[in-house]
Amino acid sequence: MADKPELPLDPAGKRGVLAYLAVAAVVLLLMMLFGLAMRLAQSEWLGLEAVYFYQVMTAHGIGMVAIAALGTAAILWYFLARRVRLSTGILYANLALFLVGVVLVLAGIFIGGFAGAWTFLYPLPAKPMGIWPQWAAASYLLGVLIVGVGFLLFYLDCARAILGRYGSLGRALGWPQLFGGDASEPPPPVVIASTVVTFINLLSILAGAVILTLSLINVYVPGFTVDALLAKNLIYFFGHVFINSTIYMGVIAVYEILPRASGRPWKVSRPFLAGWSATLLMVLAVYPHHLLMDFVNPTWMHVLGQVLSYTSSLPVIAVTAVGTLANVHRSGLRWNLASGLLFLSVLGWATGVVPAVIDATIVVNKVMHNTMWVPGHFHTYLLLGVVAMILGFMAWLDEAAARGDSALDRAAFWVFAVGGFGFTALFLLSGRDSVPRRWAVHLPEWLPYDRVAACFAAAVVLAMLVFALRFLIGLKRMAAA
Amino acid sequence: MIHSLAWQVTVPLVLAFFAVFAWVALGAGDKADATAISQTSGRIRSWIFWVLVAVFLPIFGYTLRDLPYSVAAVAGGPPQVIKAIGHQWRWELSGTEVQVGKPVDFHITASDVNHGFGLYDPDLKLIAQAQAMPGYTNVLRHVFTRPGKYRVLCLEYCGLVHHGMLAEITASEAK
Ligand code: HEM
Ligand SMILES: [Cu+2]
């Protein structure tokens, strides 16, 4: 059966994956506490001055994006290493660079006071009105750049290994089977997803490195300027593709783990191949939906942004959602924490796409852009999608180390699911009522939403505490298994 | 209003997803033939594909007809013009009085960093916006339909007092 992993997992590689996940467990918990702090501050239940609110917002944004990438990279590596020969050294190098970058980012934010938001929109890092010194912005930008370099190495290694095994991009994506009538077994889902992510993220990281470097120079040499519109295009190309890729890495856990639980292999059909290849191209051109309110951007880009927003995310989510439902439907599967979280993650992803696509409609964007509607949709597929994938993978590794689910696990699952959907629903409701995003201080009209949201957020944090502790306590056993 | 429409479309779709996932989750413990299910799901998948095509095409046709990006000449005299410049951390408006029923062109830009010009109606609903970007001018045309006090809120994060960037515009009936 082509579904069987072909290569053994070397113990050092497994320890590396566990190290990624241990970092993810701790950082996720910490960043969620930051998120809760922001919701409490907006509720006026916590006296967090604006200057600290925006620092926390910056840390939460970049921290969550980075940890979503690290956690899902662990998923990719764990399963891809069974198919192609990945370098364990690079796995560790990426983690080391990640930690160095994090130290610089945190120093820039909490010692230096940098609060330019995770998107460091040019030229804000260099023009804070004296709120933070140059070195703080530089430390932040350099830190993000170093994290980027780590991931660049990581994906270069993936590219090398995939091409070494499959020969070309087309073969790794199953094009001979898709177009050529080749009747042989196509590559397994993990290879297809990894190939797509590797390709698009190499491009996104390069764009990110360019704008980070330009911004760094601008911080110290104000006379060296960049066109603000070009800078914004680069930042959102980088940001959109990079965060999107976390879903495409995380979903590998769904493809690999649910079939083991249901006893039915994940079938790589031609629509599956077509969906992923279509996404590969479209996801690179969809980012202009972040610039729909920049009227001076070319109109064809606006139209492309809307049309591709509708069409680009759907092929993969459709094949994945239908595939997931068909995979578990009447399969005799017994739910446990791992399969439950992974099933939930597909639901979270699918539901998050709905408000996202609606907001990418130009006429809607005109009255919803940069309102709470935006964190509403992305928290749905990041918290209930990506984070659920990472947590599901963690739980599965723990199970693999022979551990049953307890009543506490089940409670944590439901608190996470209900708290998560409640929390994101309130963002969406606030967005419907035009509450702007990224406001440290809210008008009295908006407080009721903030307060209910804070309660749901607290529930999510509690559930995360259980998941994180469960994983950290089980680490030794997992490493030994 | 578009805001409510967005919500009203989102909620039933999300609930439909919940229902389908719950139904499958509850029936997962039973056992049935995998081949038959795989065939049915294949049919459902192609069915979804064609439904989406059938839904998206008219949506595109409808929503892409009238985009906010280019402003045509106005019949009945030139529009009212207000220049809006975003600074850290205040709005500089060349005028704060407008007439109901007659188009207003906001010429929006910024002097330092990016800001967002968000126009809020007297009920605090966002009714139009455009980015305020240094080096560029976005022209936003808006026709005020009822008199009252409107507010401009900053919709692009611009630093410490981002949430303090408010301005007022008064719309009154033409005399
Ligand atoms: C308990 C869980 C969480 C809570 C309470 C929370 C809370 C928040 C809040 C209050 C904001 C600012 C909203 C505003 O604009 O006013 C925010 C922004 C954000 N969150 Fe979360 N969040 C959570 C989980 C996550 C997760 C899991 C991710 C990603 C994996 C994430 C990524 C982001 C990003 C990227 C931003 C944008 C920051 C910015 O606007 O600069 N969050 N979150
Ligand atoms: Cu501003």
Side-chain angles (χ1 to χ4, degrees):
Chain A
M1 194 165 91
D3 246 72
K4 281 242 170 60
E6 293 139 14
L7 304 169
L9 185 69
D10 86 278
K14 176 153 189 208
R15 277 197 301 276
V17 166
L18 291 175
Y20 273 47
L21 293 175
V23 173
V26 174
V27 174
L28 277 173
L29 184 61
L30 191 67
M31 291 301 129
M32 284 188 185
L33 281 169
F34 281 3
L36 175 61
M38 282 189 280
R39 260 352 217 141
L40 289 171
Q42 288 169 336
S43 300
E44 296 186 352
W45 279 343
L46 176 74
L48 186 68
E49 279 172 54
V51 62
Y52 299 118
F53 178 96
Y54 290 126
Q55 288 173 17
V56 167
M57 183 185 87
T58 305
H60 174 85
I62 193 69
M64 280 298 193
V65 170
I67 208 62
L70 195 79
T72 53
I75 296 175
L76 181 151
W77 202 93
Y78 183 89
F79 292 110
L80 187 62
R82 317 299 287 272
R83 311 283 176 169
V84 302
R85 293 184 191 285
L86 294 173
S87 149
T88 309
I90 296 282
L91 180 73
Y92 282 88
N94 183 29
L95 183 61
L97 287 168
F98 185 91
L99 296 173
V100 172
V102 165
V103 170
L104 286 174
V105 164
L106 289 178
I109 296 173
F110 292 115
I111 302 177
F114 177 78
W118 83 272
T119 43
F120 56 90
L121 194 56
Y122 175 89
L124 183 56
K127 291 188 175 173
M129 295 284 275
I131 303 300
W132 59 80
Q134 284 169 320
W135 76 261
S139 180
Y140 176 88
L141 296 168
L142 192 65
V144 176
L145 191 60
I146 290 175
V147 171
V149 170
F151 276 102
L152 190 67
L153 295 177
F154 182 88
Y155 291 118
L156 282 173
D157 185 51
C158 292
R160 176 198 55 72
I162 291 172
L163 291 178
R165 164 86 165 74
Y166 289 91
S168 74
L169 188 68
R171 278 181 201 282
L173 293 171
W175 287 353
Q177 288 81 2
L178 178 59
F179 300 117
D182 183 336
S184 66
E185 194 76 35
V190 54
V191 170
I192 294 165
S194 302
T195 305
V196 168
V197 171
T198 297
F199 182 76
I200 63 179
N201 252 355
L202 282 174
L203 295 176
S204 90
I205 293 171
L206 285 179
V210 168
I211 186 59
L212 280 162
T213 309
L214 294 176
S215 299
L216 255 173
I217 301 176
N218 173 256
V219 165
Y220 284 109
V221 188
F224 172 89
T225 58
V226 185
D227 180 273
L229 189 61
L230 173 69
K232 195 172 181 186
N233 272 280
L234 282 167
I235 287 173
Y236 281 104
F237 173 76
F238 153 68
H240 179 90
V241 174
F242 192 76
I243 190 65
N244 222 219
S245 295
T246 64
I247 304 184
Y248 299 151
M249 294 192 279
V251 75
I252 293 169
V254 175
Y255 296 155
E256 289 279 343
I257 296 172
L258 272 186
R260 293 171 206 215
S262 68
R264 290 182 188 156
W266 190 284
K267 198 167 157 283
V268 177
S269 58
R270 287 179 71 185
F272 185 88
L273 295 171
W276 274 94
S277 289
T279 293
L280 167 73
L281 296 178
M282 292 192 286
V283 78
L284 293 174
V286 69
Y287 82 90
H289 65 204
H290 293 275
L291 283 86
L292 296 175
M293 291 302 110
D294 286 280
F295 292 10
V296 286
N297 224 30
T299 302
W300 64 264
M301 281 180 79
H302 294 308
V303 173
L304 196 72
Q306 172 175 333
V307 171
L308 288 186
S309 300
Y310 278 69
T311 57
S312 82
S313 47
L314 283 164
V316 171
I317 182 67
V319 293
T320 302
V322 175
T324 299
L325 292 169
N327 192 271
V328 305
H329 183 54
R330 297 183 186 276
S331 62
L333 169 141
R334 293 249 160 280
W335 291 111
N336 58 21
L337 186 56
S339 53
L341 282 166
L342 291 170
F343 190 75
L344 173 72
S345 76
V346 179
L347 177 63
W349 180 14
T351 49
V353 165
V354 175
V357 166
I358 291 176
D359 186 39
T361 314
I362 294 165
V363 287
V364 177
N365 198 260
K366 192 174 159 185
V367 293
M368 309 289 267
H369 179 62
N370 278 351
T371 66
M372 287 294 208
W373 190 264
V374 181
H377 67 67
F378 73 66
H379 278 90
T380 311
Y381 47 71
L382 292 179
L383 176 62
L384 292 147
V386 172
V387 171
M389 289 165 186
I390 299 173
L391 294 175
F393 179 56
M394 288 178 179
W396 175 76
L397 284 173
D398 206 359
E399 257 174 63
R403 173 138 181 256
D405 293 347
S406 63
L408 183 64
D409 291 334
R410 275 193 293 278
F413 173 87
W414 285 108
V415 169
F416 179 78
V418 174
F421 277 113
F423 168 68
T424 55
L426 275 136
F427 266 149
L428 291 174
L429 265 174
S430 309
R432 183 197 67 177
D433 288 0
S434 302
V435 180
R437 72 182 285 203
R438 291 173 162 170
W439 271 42
V441 183
H442 277 187
L443 299 180
E445 289 90 328
W446 303 330
L447 296 191
Y449 289 149
D450 300 337
R451 293 185 170 169
V452 180
C455 299
F456 281 120
V460 176
V461 172
L462 269 183
M464 182 66 215
L465 182 67
V466 174
F467 293 137
L469 285 178
R470 178 194 204 279
F471 180 77
L472 295 174
I473 291 170
L475 259 183
K476 243 214 186 111
R477 193 178 36 239
M478 284 179 261
Chain B
M1 287 274 260
I2 290 177
H3 320 81
S4 328
L5 188 65
W7 173 255
Q8 284 156 8
V9 173
T10 301
V11 171
L13 284 174
V14 167
L15 291 180
F17 279 129
F18 279 6
V20 173
F21 274 70
W23 176 69
V24 169
L26 290 174
D30 307 343
K31 243 181 163 11
D33 177 34
T35 326
I37 291 175
S38 162
Q39 279 165 358
T40 315
S41 76
R43 274 198 301 278
I44 294 177
R45 194 176 45 212
S46 30
W47 191 78
I48 292 175
F49 177 81
W50 290 113
V51 168
L52 288 180
V53 172
V55 173
F56 284 1
L57 286 179
I59 290 184
F60 291 156
Y62 184 68
T63 58
L64 290 173
R65 263 177 332 155
D66 195 14
L67 298 180
Y69 303 124
S70 53
V71 291
V74 203
Q80 313 170 72
V81 173
I82 291 183
K83 198 164 165 54
I85 308 174
H87 306 282
Q88 284 166 310
W89 290 285
R90 66 193 170 85
W91 289 108
E92 181 187 341
L93 302 177
S94 67
T96 55
E97 307 274 328
V98 295
Q99 279 179 20
V100 168
K102 189 173 168 212
V104 184
D105 282 0
F106 292 99
H107 291 243
I108 301 163
T109 185
S111 66
D112 34 42
V113 300
N114 290 284
H115 302 270
F117 181 90
L119 186 62
Y120 278 69
D121 76 5
D123 302 327
L124 215 56
K125 280 266 181 194
L126 177 59
I127 50 176
Q129 67 172 308
Q131 288 279 305
M133 181 180 270
Y136 289 90
T137 300
N138 291 318
V139 179
L140 171 70
R141 173 161 298 170
H142 187 75
V143 182
F144 289 80
T145 51
R146 61 182 167 121
K149 273 212 187 321
Y150 290 72
R151 270 179 274 186
V152 179
L153 272 60
C154 186
L155 287 185
E156 189 61 75
Y157 177 63
C158 57
L160 183 61
V161 197
H162 166 54
H163 56 276
M165 278 184 66
L166 288 91
E168 265 186 20
I169 289 176
T170 310
S172 36
E173 301 284 3
K175 282 155 217 140

